[in-house]
Each structure stands twice: as structure tokens, then as C-alpha cells.
Amino acid sequence: MLFRSRAALDQALAMDPSAAPRSPLGEAALKPIELPAGNSPETKLAELERQLDRGESGRALGAQELIPLLGSPEAGTAARAARLLRRVDPAVAAPLLWERLTKLTSREQVQLTEDEILRLPIKLAANGAPSAPTGSLAAKAAFIRISTVRPSVALTKEALLPLLKSTAANELNEAAWEAVPRVFGASDRAALEAAAKDLFDAAAKA
């Protein structure tokens, strides 16, 4: 009975946010266990992420060491390096993230890179951005979506109009038409009607 009472008391104290965490094996306060350092890129990336999450000043990898990892053949390693580079030095990361976006063909990797660009400080979002949607279909669609929420990423009429003439139903065509009200004005009605005509003609033949 006494043992059960003590156990119940220990459990209540463990749940008390005002009490320091205690080990169930003794009275000593819990201490974080430092994992042994490794030499592989993946291990160093994991250690860097832990350091950043804890707010530690030490760095397992610096910006210049992360840059080569962006070209890793392992998609997960490259994506993680891109994410951590953005956290370590967003000014260095911005143009490299845009360069990475234009080269990617995997929709999943494009989405991850798009997310990292959107997490950059707003004042850095356009650093290194191409002058028009470039790369794969998914990359072009990502550029248009980014330009919608980051006005500093310029999307011109000349760059957008050819994308409106596509008769394929895909994310690029959808993103392009969603951007029309922001890019075009009333004076562009004739050009937009001409672009839409191709879509209507394709739908009629379907």
C-alpha cells in the first residue's frame, strides 16, 4: 500500500510543470545524452539540425560545407541540406534554392524547395530568382505560385501569356490562369480572349 502511494505521488510530481524533471531511478536531475559525432554527411546534417533546434552556437556544418550537399544524388540528403542552409544563412541560400528549383523534375522535390523559398525572409525571396518561369512544368508552376505571395518575384505579361495558351489540364495551366487577375488588366482583354480561345477549341474537340 505504501509503495502504491509513493508511486502515485511520484507520478503526480512528474506531471507538475513547476517541478524539475527527476529520474525514476534516483533523485538526480535528468541530463541530455550527447550522441557520438559521426563523419557521414547524413550524420552531420542530423547533428546540425539538433544544434539549430536547441539554439546552440556550435555548428556541425557551416554554409560553405552545406552547399556541396545540395548536389547530393540522394534526394533526401539534398533536400535536408537545402533546408538547413536556409536556416544557417538565408542570404546564401536564396539564389541556390532558386537554382535548385529550376533544375528539379520531381514534383515532390519541387514542392519541398518551393516551401523553403517561401520560408526565406521576405526581403530575400527574390534574390537569384529567374526573370521568368523556368525548368520543368512543376518548377514553372512553383515560380508562379511563389510570385503570387511574394510580389518582389516579378512575373511579367510576356512570360505568363505563352503559358495561358497551353491546352493541357495540369498544375502549370491552373497556376497561370490563377495569376491572370494580378498580372493583366482590362486593356489586355483581347490577348486573354485569344489565349482562352485555344482552350475552348480544345474542349470542343474533346
Side-chain angles (χ1 to χ4, degrees), residues 26-73:
E27 297 300 321
L30 297 177
K31 297 180 180 179
I33 299 175
E34 295 297 333
L35 298 178
N39 294 319
S40 71
E42 291 77 10
T43 302
K44 289 187 175 181
L45 289 171
E47 177 60 19
L48 174 60
E49 192 154 25
R50 283 193 293 270
Q51 290 169 341
L52 292 171
D53 290 344
R54 294 174 182 173
E56 297 176 1
S57 58
R59 294 287 185 270
L61 294 169
Q64 295 306 313
E65 296 169 297
L66 286 167
I67 291 173
L69 296 178
L70 297 179
S72 170

Side-chain angles (χ1 to χ4, degrees), residues 75-171:
T77 298
R80 194 175 198 180
R83 182 175 72 253
L84 294 175
L85 180 60
R86 189 262 308 163
R87 295 180 65 183
V88 169
D89 194 334
V92 170
L96 295 174
L97 287 171
W98 279 110
E99 180 182 350
R100 174 174 165 77
L101 181 69
T102 62
K103 294 179 179 178
L104 291 171
T105 55
S106 163
R107 189 176 185 280
E108 178 184 2
Q109 292 300 313
V110 166
Q111 181 64 61
L112 291 173
T113 305
E114 177 184 351
D115 291 345
E116 292 308 317
I117 292 174
L118 290 173
R119 291 188 180 104
L120 288 167
I122 293 177
K123 65 180 181 180
L124 299 177
N127 287 10
S131 58
T134 306
S136 65
L137 181 150
K140 290 178 179 178
F143 178 100
I144 295 173
R145 288 192 295 267
I146 293 170
S147 72
T148 300
V149 295
R150 296 290 183 268
S152 59
V153 179
L155 178 61
T156 65
K157 298 176 184 179
E158 294 75 18
L160 184 57
L161 188 59
L163 303 179
L164 299 176
K165 297 179 179 180
S166 171
T167 58
N170 52 46
E171 65 173 321

